[in-house]
């Protein structure tokens, strides 16, 4: 079995810098002005051994509330006993995807996801809702800046709720905006 490249020490000690950098990115995008809730943070690893290590680590700090196949690989959602703090936001869930064929240049904290409440059922509606709230994002969404934008509608095998997502990415930072919180999505699987 391949040994993990990330250590628990590195993960724990990288949170303050990741938190600072993400907060600056939120401010640059002006998403911080909307008072959005951050429903989870995601970590990335390149090996099953790394994913197993983090599954055990977070399992001792919370409980797995979802183990779902998405795009052909398991993705765990762990509800933390003690939330992580990012500026004024408390993040009570961690997303831990098992690796796919994609190799991440940096293992560890990778993105946060914030919820833009509303009735968006697709990318077009979510984009319009976001532009109505923040017209300053028009050039970003139009691809006229150095920030990469990726739109998707990921769905687990049992999800019944549409959850369009807009990801803003620069270098090793990513902020995803979606229509429903992760716990709402998980609850939709049980119906």
């Amino acid at each position: 079995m391949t040994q993990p490249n990330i250590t628990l020490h590195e993960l724990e000690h990288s949170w303050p810098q990741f938190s600072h950098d993400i907060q600056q990115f939120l401010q640059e995008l002006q998403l911080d002005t909307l008072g959005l809730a951050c429903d989870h943070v995601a970590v990335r690893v390149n090996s099953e051994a790394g994913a197993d290590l983090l599954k055990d680590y977070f399992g001792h700090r919370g409980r797995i509330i979802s183990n779902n196949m998405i795009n052909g690989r398991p993705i765990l959602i762990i509800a933390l006993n003690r939330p992580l703090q990012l500026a004024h936001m408390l993040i009570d869930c961690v997303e831990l995807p098992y690796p796919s064929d994609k190799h991440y240049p940096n293992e560890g904290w990778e993105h946060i996801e914030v919820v833009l409440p509303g009735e968006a059922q697709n990318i077009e509606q979510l984009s319009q809702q976001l532009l109505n709230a923040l017209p300053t994002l028009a050039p970003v969404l139009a691809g006229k800046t150095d920030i990469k934008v990726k739109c998707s509608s990921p769905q687990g095998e049992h999800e019944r709720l549409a959850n369009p997502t807009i990801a803003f990415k620069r270098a090793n930072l990513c902020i995803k905006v979606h229509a429903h919180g992760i716990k709402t999505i998980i609850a939709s699987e049980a119906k």
Side-chain angles (χ1 to χ4, degrees):
M1 178 168 16
T2 307
Q3 291 299 311
N5 290 326
I6 185 142
T7 67
L8 298 178
H9 177 80
E10 290 169 339
L11 185 73
E12 289 173 349
H13 287 83
S14 64
W15 177 257
Q17 186 64 54
F18 174 78
S19 177
H20 175 266
D21 293 346
I22 281 285
Q23 182 60 26
Q24 284 190 318
F25 198 23
L26 281 164
Q27 289 170 353
E28 180 182 347
L29 293 167
Q30 297 181 13
L31 289 169
D32 64 319
T33 65
L34 300 180
L36 304 176
C38 179
D39 70 328
H40 68 281
V41 61
V43 292
R44 293 291 187 247
V45 291
N46 290 320
S47 70
E48 283 197 32
D52 288 340
L53 177 75
L54 294 182
K55 177 182 176 184
D56 186 55
Y57 172 78
F58 287 117
H60 286 89
R61 286 153 183 79
R63 64 184 174 82
I64 296 170
I65 59 172
S66 177
N67 183 349
N68 206 345
M69 291 297 285
I70 299 176
N71 297 328
R73 64 185 171 144
I75 296 185
L76 308 180
I77 304 296
I78 300 121
L80 300 172
N81 297 329
R82 201 169 88 209
L84 294 165
Q85 181 140 13
L86 182 113
H88 68 280
M89 297 182 279
L90 294 177
I91 306 170
D92 63 355
C93 288
V94 173
E95 173 187 325
L96 173 59
Y98 269 69
S100 63
D101 295 337
K102 182 176 180 179
H103 181 82
Y104 294 93
N106 298 304
E107 292 185 301
W109 305 111
E110 198 252 355
H111 73 261
I112 64 167
E113 298 200 22
V114 295
V115 180
L116 183 62
E119 301 301 318
Q121 295 294 308
N122 56 47
I123 291 297
E124 293 75 22
Q125 291 172 352
L126 183 62
S127 296
Q128 191 57 56
Q129 185 183 344
L130 192 53
L131 281 173
N132 291 345
L134 275 179
T136 54
L137 282 178
V140 177
L141 289 169
K144 296 181 179 178
T145 70
D146 67 335
I147 298 169
K148 294 179 183 172
V149 178
K150 180 182 176 187
C151 298
S152 63
S153 294
Q155 191 167 16
E157 59 188 348
H158 302 294
E159 288 174 18
R160 292 175 174 80
L161 193 59
N163 200 23
T165 303
I166 301 172
F168 298 96
K169 186 167 184 169
R170 178 189 286 141
N172 297 323
L173 295 175
C174 181
I175 298 169
K176 296 184 179 185
V177 177
H178 55 149
H180 302 287
I182 194 67
K183 289 181 179 176
T184 302
I185 295 296
I186 292 169
S188 79
E189 297 171 358
K191 293 180 181 177

